Amino acid sequence: MNVTPLSKTLLLTLLLAAGPALAAAPDIACRSNGSWDNACLRRLYQGAPGTWPKPQVDAGVTWQEMAPVPAVAPAASPRQAARVALGRALFFDPHLSAKGQVSCASCHQPEKSFTDGKPLAVGEDQLMGRRRTPPLFAAPFAAKLFWDGRVDSLEAQVLGPIANPVEMNHPIAAAVARVNGLEEHRSLIQAAFAAPALDEAQLAWALADFVRSLRPPATAFDRFLAGRRNALSDKELQGLHLFRTQARCMNCHNGPLLTDHGFHHIGLSYYGRRNQDLGRFEVTREKADLGAFRTPSLRGVAQAGPWMHNGVFPDLKGLLRMYGNAMGNPTAKAVAAGDPYAPPLSPLIRKLELNEADVEALAAFLQTL
Amino acid sequence: MNVTPLSKTLLLTLLLAAGPALAAAPDIACRSNGSWDNACLRRLYQGAPGTWPKPQVDAGVTWQEMAPVPAVAPAASPRQAARVALGRALFFDPHLSAKGQVSCASCHQPEKSFTDGKPLAVGEDQLMGRRRTPPLFAAPFAAKLFWDGRVDSLEAQVLGPIANPVEMNHPIAAAVARVNGLEEHRSLIQAAFAAPALDEAQLAWALADFVRSLRPPATAFDRFLAGRRNALSDKELQGLHLFRTQARCMNCHNGPLLTDHGFHHIGLSYYGRRNQDLGRFEVTREKADLGAFRTPSLRGVAQAGPWMHNGVFPDLKGLLRMYGNAMGNPTAKAVAAGDPYAPPLSPLIRKLELNEADVEALAAFLQTL
């Protein structure tokens, strides 16, 4: 069967998602022979983030320290506040879709970190995309949007799902006409644009301004960042320390949003196989982008599953074990054979020495974000 | 894992592709207790197709008798002949793709019934579509083209793969400019259009005229149709008889091209699961079209694998066993539960009583087409 390569990957995924790794825990600060000295760990993390142990990132990696997510700036004008209010109303309005079946919020559900709990996005008429609904907390801060970074402004981004036939399936001009015909948005439109009707650019502006106003709810990690040192349990603190060190997570997941807003191939391109998705390469056609997808924010990550751009991981611990195994490096053979389109795994992804307690601690830390 | 439903289907497919069905052969004309009377069968098929046993088709099904494929009409003018010649040259010219990597013929290879042997189409830069390269022998006779029938002329069809980013990735205007700049096509363009350069409509016209000129090579079945009664072996003749009767194939695969040129849901929509493809519904948004794909011609079918719109069957006998099992009817539960988007299996697909010898005979017959 031609599906064998895929099935093999799935089998590997299942094995790695199920079986405990039995590697010995390597010594890192405050741990020896696999045992944590929690008092020692508390001391390391007693100050502000700038004083914490330096993260384990590779030479050449630009990273930012962990930090609180910047607050939304106060509205510069009543019009801006009104645009956000209009954008919010439109975000939750299924009239934006052709048949009125789905709103932006059908897929971007606030309580699921603005995702939908599904492996792949499902739009009007039950049509399905080939990627997962992306979480939105990084969107206000990202230079490039969508999993493949194909647009560089929120104004351009927000129109994509409206027009996309497998999402809201509504030509933008028709969506604008629909919105302008609805009594319920009239006063918001008047307040936002001092006019009785909006145009395409204004529809995009209002939705983009609403997305720009989205922030993750405050969590235990935020309280810890703010100086409440008992906001994380010992196990969660061990997870934070592993995240910064042994598990190498901060090579990509750093800064206030826990993302570098960059693109990396982490081994999920399914190159040459059914479900192949070459990610950012499909936009740029630059071989350096083969199989690369945007690093998602980890803010609210526990509520944002199933994970990865294609929702292939239903379990965060399975995902962590897979990272620990260098994601299986499924294209290694094709790369070695010189296939010019086989995506080389990002050199940031390496086999890690994580045992099952490490995976548990990392998963516990992820729950605090 | 969210992949379980897919894996289940694959498992079923594998089982059905591997394991011999052990049903007793029901009695049909010239067979009793599972034994064929080949002399009897020869008598049934000694005359012209119109005298053969009536096929087993359901009430309401419009069908045509098996017949030779109509020959290409002689060119009505030297210009038409020149258009075909130009279209042929363009069909094999990789300059039509943006980077010059692929021609129409890269995917539509004459010796593979104008398919490519791959489960899913692969275009320039190794990008992959979600459907298989369709065979072309039915194209000159079809009212609607592509697996989902989204265009209704060959002129519209031939431009699709040129512009498609995951196929030839070439904006049509750029492809036209490229062709006009090539010395090698100049005299053919002059002969076809009495001009030194062609425009977009003429590019389409030439390619379409070439596709209209494609005919399957003559086969054993053609010789049998033409009256050479020893052109089919006993086993192949048993397969022909089963094809017309017990196996119900002619409900969809009838007429000279062995296709009704229609659309049917045969259970491969993957509804609600990864790899969902609702086929013609995605074009019409009519629920009657949920999961329906174009019936392919069976002319040259043995050379056109792997089979189905998504190339999921690597083996014709596995495919036949799956038909014998009513394709597993994977959406039956969702249909019964009243899900309005769950595609009901075409009523033409039913559990068949085919044993392994029947499958062998049918496969042998398919090899003669």
Side-chain angles (χ1 to χ4, degrees):
Chain A
M1 293 284 297
N2 52 28
V3 295
T4 307
L6 176 58
S7 304
K8 260 189 192 160
T9 303
L10 291 176
L11 192 65
L12 181 64
T13 307
L14 287 162
L15 285 171
L16 287 164
L22 290 171
D27 288 353
I28 52 176
C30 302
R31 180 167 73 176
S32 63
N33 296 323
S35 287
W36 289 100
D37 179 343
N38 290 313
C40 163
L41 210 50
R42 293 275 164 199
R43 280 194 299 277
L44 288 183
Y45 288 89
Q46 71 188 346
T51 70
W52 294 353
K54 279 273 164 290
Q56 192 173 320
V57 294
D58 290 357
V61 169
T62 306
W63 67 280
Q64 283 191 283
E65 189 48 270
M66 291 168 158
V69 177
V72 183
S77 69
R79 289 259 172 88
Q80 189 192 352
R83 280 198 307 274
V84 172
L86 172 61
R88 181 184 297 109
L90 295 172
F91 191 87
F92 287 89
D93 186 349
H95 287 110
L96 252 62
S97 68
K99 294 187 181 175
Q101 293 177 358
V102 292
S103 68
C104 306
S106 301
C107 291
H108 297 289
Q109 300 170 22
E111 69 278 16
K112 292 178 180 160
S113 302
F114 291 92
T115 63
D116 56 8
K118 295 175 182 168
L120 299 175
V122 176
E124 191 150 82
D125 277 334
Q126 295 297 312
L127 294 193
M128 191 179 282
R130 63 177 182 149
R131 295 177 187 157
R132 180 171 70 102
T133 300
L136 297 187
F137 290 136
F141 307 95
K144 303 210 174 286
L145 295 142
F146 291 115
W147 283 108
D148 53 18
R150 64 184 178 274
V151 303
D152 52 13
S153 78
L154 272 171
E155 280 74 4
Q157 188 281 317
V158 294
L159 298 181
I162 297 173
N164 190 330
V166 303
E167 298 186 38
M168 299 169 91
N169 192 33
H170 213 172
I172 301 298
V176 166
R178 173 90 59 81
V179 165
N180 285 328
L182 292 168
E183 185 53 41
E184 63 209 79
H185 299 312
R186 200 147 301 168
S187 62
L188 288 171
I189 291 172
Q190 186 67 45
F193 299 114
L198 45 67
D199 62 20
E200 178 176 326
Q202 290 166 327
L203 173 73
W205 194 7
L207 282 166
D209 267 4
F210 170 64
V211 176
R212 267 188 280 270
S213 78
L214 299 176
R215 291 296 179 280
T219 61
F221 181 61
D222 288 301
R223 292 189 288 279
F224 189 80
L225 279 172
R228 264 224 256 141
R229 293 299 165 233
N230 62 353
L232 297 189
S233 70
D234 286 347
K235 193 178 183 183
E236 289 159 355
L237 189 56
Q238 292 161 16
L240 165 60
H241 189 51
L242 287 164
F243 187 95
R244 296 176 66 86
T245 56
Q246 189 69 29
R248 300 173 44 84
C249 307
M250 280 184 64
N251 276 285
C252 299
H253 294 286
N254 59 54
L257 275 301
L258 298 165
T259 170
D260 61 359
H261 302 291
F263 300 84
H264 305 276
H265 171 232
I266 63 161
L268 292 176
S269 69
Y270 295 76
Y271 176 68
R273 311 191 320 249
R274 196 177 296 277
N275 295 320
Q276 173 181 295
D277 187 345
L278 299 184
R280 182 139 182 78
F281 173 78
E282 297 190 6
V283 177
T284 66
R285 302 290 175 115
E286 301 278 350
K287 288 186 182 168
D289 292 324
L290 279 162
F293 292 89
R294 242 179 99 201
T295 310
S297 171
L298 296 187
R299 292 290 191 162
V301 66
Q303 290 76 50
W307 292 274
M308 300 302 189
H309 70 271
N310 58 358
V312 82
F313 284 101
D315 172 38
L316 272 179
K317 283 189 267 185
L319 181 160
L320 290 166
R321 290 187 198 104
M322 195 76 180
Y323 269 123
N325 190 48
M327 300 300 289
N329 200 356
T331 53
K333 209 184 273 187
V335 171
D339 179 341
Y341 285 93
L345 194 68
S346 163
L348 298 173
I349 303 287
R350 299 204 198 135
K351 251 189 150 57
L352 306 171
E353 290 179 77
L354 298 177
N355 64 20
E356 191 57 14
D358 296 341
V359 167
E360 298 273 353
L362 280 162
F365 172 63
L366 294 180
Q367 303 281 340
T368 73
L369 297 175
Chain B
M1 292 286 296
N2 53 28
V3 295
T4 309
L6 176 59
S7 304
K8 260 189 193 159
T9 303
L10 290 175
L11 192 64
L12 181 63
T13 307
L14 287 162
L15 285 171
L16 288 164
L22 291 170
D27 287 352
I28 52 177
C30 303
R31 180 167 73 177
S32 62
N33 296 323
S35 286
W36 289 98
D37 178 343
N38 290 312
C40 163
L41 210 51
R42 293 275 164 199
R43 280 194 299 277
L44 287 183
Y45 287 89
Q46 71 189 347
T51 69
W52 294 353
K54 279 273 165 290
Q56 192 173 320
V57 294
D58 290 357
V61 170
T62 306
W63 68 280
Q64 284 190 282
E65 188 48 89
M66 291 167 158
V69 177
V72 183
S77 69
R79 288 259 172 88
Q80 190 192 352
R83 280 198 307 274
V84 172
L86 173 61
R88 182 184 298 110
L90 295 172
F91 191 86
F92 287 89
D93 186 348
H95 287 110
L96 253 62
S97 67
K99 295 187 182 174
Q101 293 178 357
V102 292
S103 68
C104 305
S106 301
C107 291
H108 297 289
Q109 300 170 22
E111 69 278 16
K112 292 178 180 161
S113 302
F114 291 92
T115 63
D116 57 8
K118 295 175 181 168
L120 299 175
V122 175
E124 191 151 80
D125 277 334
Q126 295 297 312
L127 295 192
M128 191 180 282
R130 63 178 182 149
R131 295 176 187 159
R132 180 170 70 102
T133 300
L136 297 187
F137 290 135
F141 307 94
K144 303 208 174 287
L145 295 142
F146 292 114
W147 284 109
D148 53 19
R150 63 184 179 276
V151 304
D152 52 14
S153 78
L154 271 172
E155 279 75 3
Q157 188 281 318
V158 294
L159 298 181
I162 298 173
N164 190 330
V166 303
E167 298 185 38
M168 299 169 90
N169 192 33
H170 213 173
I172 300 298
V176 166
R178 172 91 58 82
V179 165
N180 284 329
L182 292 169
E183 185 53 39
E184 64 208 79
H185 299 310
R186 200 147 300 167
S187 62
L188 288 171
I189 292 172
Q190 185 67 45
F193 299 114
L198 45 67
D199 61 21
E200 178 176 326
Q202 289 166 326
L203 173 73
W205 194 7
L207 282 167
D209 267 3
F210 170 63
V211 176
R212 266 188 282 270
S213 78
L214 299 177
R215 291 296 180 280
T219 61
F221 182 60
D222 287 301
R223 292 188 288 279
F224 189 82
L225 279 173
R228 263 224 256 141
R229 292 300 165 231
N230 61 353
L232 296 190
S233 70
D234 286 348
K235 193 179 185 183
E236 289 159 356
L237 189 56
Q238 291 161 16
L240 165 59
H241 189 50
L242 288 163
F243 187 94
R244 296 177 66 87
T245 55
Q246 188 69 28
R248 300 172 45 83
C249 307
M250 280 185 64
N251 276 284
C252 299
H253 294 286
N254 60 53
L257 275 301
L258 298 165
T259 170
D260 60 0
H261 302 292
F263 299 84
H264 304 276
H265 172 232
I266 63 160
L268 291 176
S269 69
Y270 294 78
Y271 177 67
R273 310 190 324 248
R274 195 178 296 276
N275 296 320
Q276 173 182 294
D277 186 345
L278 299 184
R280 183 139 180 78
F281 173 78
E282 298 190 6
V283 177
T284 67
R285 303 290 174 113
E286 301 277 349
K287 288 187 183 170
D289 291 324
L290 278 162
F293 292 88
R294 243 180 98 202
T295 311
S297 170
L298 297 187
R299 291 291 191 162
V301 66
Q303 290 76 50
W307 293 273
M308 300 303 190
H309 70 272
N310 58 358
V312 81
F313 284 101
D315 172 37
L316 272 179
K317 283 189 267 185
L319 181 161
L320 290 166
R321 291 187 197 105
M322 194 76 181
Y323 269 122
N325 190 47
M327 299 300 290
N329 200 356
T331 53
K333 209 184 273 187
V335 171
D339 179 341
Y341 284 93
L345 194 68
S346 163
L348 299 172
I349 304 287
R350 298 202 198 135
K351 253 191 150 56
L352 306 171
E353 291 179 76
L354 298 177
N355 64 21
E356 192 57 15
D358 295 342
V359 166
E360 298 273 351
L362 281 162
F365 172 62
L366 294 181
Q367 303 281 340
T368 73
L369 298 175

